[in-house]
Amino acid sequence: MKKTIVAIGAHLDDIELAAGGTLAKAIKEGCDVHMIVMSQSGYSNYNGQVMRTNETAMNEGRNAARVLGCKDLDILDFSNKDIAYDSRAVEAIEKRINIIKPDIIFTHWPFDTHQAHVAVGKSTISAARRYNTIYFYEPISPSGRSYVGFRPQVYVNISDVINIKTEALAQHVTEKEKYGDYWIRGIEARAAFRGYEMGCMYGEAFETLREELFF
């Protein structure tokens, strides 16, 4: 049975970073995949320098979703840096997932070190309290250097779609310019490591909040 999947991210690029390969594989297998991004994702640094405009971020995000093959990208207008774990975020997520009725939900790991990622992860847990299968993204530097260890519990072989994942990430031109070419190389290297753990070329790993077992 083909599954309906919702992936929720704080920013445009979060979903591709952590689950781009998994979603591309799911889409190829005929699953119904939806992406919800909580912010338009433009931002300035602490000196007030504009690092990425909302318009640029949304264009890059739409291009990345197109590469993955996802036809439903819902971009909300919460503050890029200051998404809060409160009723507004919870209800915004709950409203959308109650329409979609997903079999599987992906969201941020609640021990991430980016405050917006943490808030979105916790908001999803609250919003999806009546849903049975929820997985957390594996964070990656600079947001992932937590005081709690991520526990890879669910693995997905993405060897046949690694090129789709990296091409989707390449659509985020402003982020690539910010972090350099090694940004994508680092993500690919982690996928190679997770693949090595599971006995294939490339993989993605997730931590489980809970999971419904189907027969």
Side-chain angles (χ1 to χ4, degrees):
M1 183 176 66
K2 305 299 184 184
K3 300 292 194 296
T4 298
I5 299 170
V6 170
I8 302 166
H11 312 105
L12 292 154
D13 79 349
D14 288 340
I15 295 171
E16 300 92 293
L17 281 166
T22 297
L23 297 187
K25 190 177 186 77
I27 290 166
K28 285 183 67 175
E29 294 296 325
C31 294
D32 183 20
V33 172
H34 305 259
M35 296 169 66
I36 299 171
V37 177
M38 300 296 286
S39 70
Q40 296 180 4
S41 302
Y43 66 98
S44 303
N45 67 11
Y46 55 82
N47 289 323
Q49 178 185 0
V50 176
M51 306 298 291
R52 181 167 64 166
T53 66
N54 283 336
E55 182 180 7
T56 297
M58 288 191 289
N59 285 336
E60 292 175 351
R62 292 185 183 111
N63 289 338
R66 194 174 301 116
V67 170
L68 292 181
C70 181
K71 298 178 181 179
D72 184 26
L73 170 61
D74 192 359
I75 304 172
L76 310 188
D77 60 357
F78 285 83
S79 172
N80 177 66
K81 295 180 181 178
D82 298 316
I83 302 169
Y85 173 37
D86 61 18
S87 62
R88 293 170 300 168
V90 171
E91 290 174 0
I93 295 169
E94 186 173 9
K95 175 183 177 181
R96 286 160 176 82
I97 62 175
N98 283 348
I99 292 170
I100 298 167
K101 301 187 184 307
D103 301 296
I104 299 170
I105 296 172
F106 291 95
T107 192
H108 289 287
W109 185 53
F111 295 102
D112 201 318
T113 54
H114 192 301
Q115 69 280 358
H117 295 185
V118 173
V120 172
K122 290 181 175 180
S123 296
T124 303
I125 292 171
S126 295
R129 58 197 175 277
R130 296 184 179 91
Y131 291 83
N132 295 334
T133 301
I134 302 173
Y135 302 124
F136 296 134
Y137 305 131
E138 180 175 14
I140 192 166
S141 182
S143 69
R145 307 186 75 176
S146 180
Y147 57 92
V148 175
F150 180 83
R151 300 174 300 167
Q153 296 167 323
V154 174
Y155 287 81
V156 179
N157 182 343
I158 64 165
S159 302
D160 60 336
V161 291
I162 185 65
N163 60 317
I164 298 177
K165 177 183 174 80
T166 55
E167 179 60 25
L169 287 168
Q171 304 309 305
H172 294 282
V173 176
T174 49
E175 295 298 271
K176 187 177 178 182
E177 290 175 348
K178 176 181 177 180
Y179 293 114
D181 288 338
Y182 60 88
W183 179 58
I184 293 179
R185 290 205 304 271
I187 296 159
E188 189 174 5
R190 183 179 69 180
F193 174 67
R194 292 306 185 198
Y196 172 74
E197 286 186 320
M198 64 182 300
C200 65
M201 288 296 295
Y202 294 101
E204 286 176 341
F206 305 91
E207 188 169 317
T208 305
L209 173 63
R210 57 182 175 268
E211 180 180 53
E212 181 177 355
L213 183 61
F214 290 91
F215 296 99

